[in-house]
Structure formats: structure tokens, C-alpha cells
DNA sequence: ACCTTAAGTAACATTTAATGTTACTCTTTC
DNA sequence: GAAAGAGTAACATTAAATGTTACTTAAGGT
């Protein structure tokens, strides 16, 4: 499958939960969230389970989840890290030739190059909080 | 399939061609390159075709390809752009709910967030040249 | 205690993008 | 005009993401 939309789903779920809490509910359920995202509740539960393990939210069986970190303190990198971040670019799927000097040297060279890319992605995600996305999502220009 | 290794394949091919040219050959063929990468020649031709269209290399039927931009002037972003860059993070695969305010507002919010991420990736790739990767690939520590 | 609700999770199905492969046509060089 | 190798269409294969069903487990309310 193509690109990674896990982060999109997670942020959507968290913004939904944040709004739900702001409107007076304590817990949000996988069914409510799946409804907004238009996906299956199990997909939501699976993903929320990762966020729970990372301590970003807390679950209560029979009730749902609530944020355990304030939206202002939760960065998009925290969320992405909880989901198990993927590298922006992948190395070769198969080991390249063992006899060719280019093939032998290219992997370490690209590893360090791609690590720098991943680092700037990390920095950019760490700069944005869930509250930032929340505000932009619900800004008047969207209604 | 998982992550995007097209850029890896392209850089590998270009470093191979650069070395080949430095060693006196004018043209490099899809079979030679595929041999080093351990993939099918058609995969190489397909990808090289994109690089040709972008003007980074030039092809001659019956002979192969050669660089048309010096390795010092060709950035990894030029290469990635030629391949048709993918976005680092994808939005929802399916349209989310039309009635939920979160679902309606989240896409524009994420679009701008993810655009900033793509921009820092672009900047980082533009900072590294094919010559940089060439040198690191063939550096003594790799032999 | 019992019932209801909803999370947690295993197992399997489906979808889709990337990659691999075959086979053929088209240019260029010799 | 023969050989080499790019260009490309068409199809096969692989593998990851996502969707779905069905069941188990924990918590709260009656």
C-alpha cells in the first residue's frame, strides 16, 4: 500500500477526543471516532492501543479513552513516535551485489544521508502540537 | 509495499554511472547497473527514463546513458523530483465524515502541516549532491 | 451476581502500490 | 543489415496497509 496515513488517523482521533472532552464528555469511544474518520472501530482501537502504551492517552474498558497529556504539550512527533515512525526513504529491498564497490559502499552512505532527512522531519513534527492542529481544524474559516 | 526505495535505486544507478565514467567508459547500460543493484534491467530502464525526461542524464539507444549534469551540481532533490516525489505523510484514504466539524476541518489543517514537513525534506535533500554520496560511497573506510 | 458497554486482540480478507518479468518495438552504431 | 541496448506495454508477484469478524477481558451500573 502507498503512503503512511497512520499519523493522519491518529491526529484526527486525538482532535476528536479533545473536542469531545472540551464539550463535557470524559471518554471517547472507538465507535464515535471511527464514525468521524469513516473507518472500522478496530482500526481505531489498534491505533489507540499504541497511543495508550506510549502514555499519551488512557483507556478504561467499557468507557473509552481520554487524553493523559494536555493538547498543548503533545507534539506531533510524540504521536508519530508512539505509532512506530517509518523512515522517509527506504534502502534497497534486496542486498545489492557483494562484489561491486558501489553496491558495498552505497548503503552506509545513504543511511547517514537519510538519517539527516529523518532528523529534520522529527524536528518539524516536534514543533507542532496537537493544540495547534486542533485550533486550525476548528478555525472559523473552516465553517 | 512498504516504503519508497526509488530514490535509493536512482542514486545507486547514478553513482555507478559516475564511477563508470570516471574510469573511462562513456556509457552505462541497464544490464550493468541492474547487476550492481541486483534487480531487473527493466526496473532500471524505467527509472532512468524518468531521469532522462528531467534532463539529468541522456540516453543513446544501443549504447546506454551518461550524466548530463555534473555530479557536483546534481542534488538529491533534483533526483527525487525527477522520480515524482511522494509526500512524507498521506491524508485519509477515504473522505472522512461530512457532518463532523473535526472531519471537515482536519484535512486543510493537516495539509498545511504536512506541507511544512515536505519542505524541510526538500531543503535537506537539496543540500546534498550526488558527488557527496559518491565520495562517501567510495571512501576508504568502506573498503 | 448479572448485565451492559466498550477496550484488547487474534485471525483472516481485501486492497493497492511497488517491484519483477516477458516480450516486443525502435534507434543507433558498426 | 546485423547487433546492442533503450523504450514501453502488459502481466505476474510480493508485501504492506487497511478492513472485518469474532471472541475475550475489564469496568461500572443495576
Amino acid at each position: 500500500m502507498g503512503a503512511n496515513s497512520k499519523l493522519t488517523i491518529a491526529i484526527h482521533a486525538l482532535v476528536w477526543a479533545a473536542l469531545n472532552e472540551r464539550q463535557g464528555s470524559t471518554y471517547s469511544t472507538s465507535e464515535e471516532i471511527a464514525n468521524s474518520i469513516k473507518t472500522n472501530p478496530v482500526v481505531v482501537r489498534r491505533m489507540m492501543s499504541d497511543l495508550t502504551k506510549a502514555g499519551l492517552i488512557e483507556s478504561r474498558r467499557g468507557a473509552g479513552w481520554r487524553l493523559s497529556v494536555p493538547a498543548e504539550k503533545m507534539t506531533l512527533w510524540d504521536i508519530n513516535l508512539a505509532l512506530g515512525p517509518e523512515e522517509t526513504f527506504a534502502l534497497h529491498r534486496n542486498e545489492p551485489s557483494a562484489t561491486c564497490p558501489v553496491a558495498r559502499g552505497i548503503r552506509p552512505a545513504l543511511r547517514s544521508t537519510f538519517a539527516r532527512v529523518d532528523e529534520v522531519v522529527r524536528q518539524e513534527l516536534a514543533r507542532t502540537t496537537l493544540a495547534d492542529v486542533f485550533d486550525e481544524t476548528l478555525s472559523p474559516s473552516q465553517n
Side-chain angles (χ1 to χ4, degrees), chain A:
Chain A
M1 179 136 305
N4 173 14
S5 68
K6 274 192 193 177
L7 183 59
T8 289
I9 302 303
I11 294 172
H12 186 149
L14 288 167
V15 169
W16 197 97
L19 177 61
N20 194 35
E21 290 181 30
R22 180 171 295 195
Q23 292 176 338
S25 306
T26 307
Y27 292 100
S28 307
T29 73
S30 64
E31 195 174 334
E32 295 168 324
I33 293 170
N35 228 299
S36 170
I37 298 179
K38 284 253 206 74
T39 186
N40 193 293
V42 176
V43 172
V44 173
R45 276 181 248 150
R46 250 188 322 229
M47 179 274 296
M48 295 299 261
S49 174
D50 287 339
L51 302 183
T52 301
K53 282 168 193 154
L56 300 181
I57 57 181
E58 50 197 82
S59 77
R60 186 172 269 183
R61 294 202 190 211
W65 299 271
R66 66 177 170 189
L67 305 194
S68 44
V69 172
E72 293 73 25
K73 291 279 170 67
M74 196 187 301
T75 73
L76 302 193
W77 175 251
D78 297 330
I79 300 167
N80 197 47
L81 185 62
L83 300 174
E86 311 217 337
E87 280 155 20
T88 305
F89 297 105
L91 292 183
H92 311 67
R93 154 187 295 202
N94 310 313
E95 282 280 327
S97 163
T99 55
C100 169
V102 172
R104 276 186 286 120
I106 195 90
R107 279 168 170 264
L110 289 179
R111 238 189 287 274
S112 78
T113 300
F114 291 166
R116 289 198 302 278
V117 172
D118 290 336
E119 173 59 17
V120 300
V121 170
R122 190 193 66 70
Q123 285 173 13
E124 182 58 40
L125 289 179
R127 187 170 295 147
T128 307
T129 66
L130 182 61
D132 294 333
V133 179
F134 182 96
D135 291 342
E136 195 169 346
T137 298
L138 299 177
S139 69
S141 61
Q142 299 307 330
N143 298 325

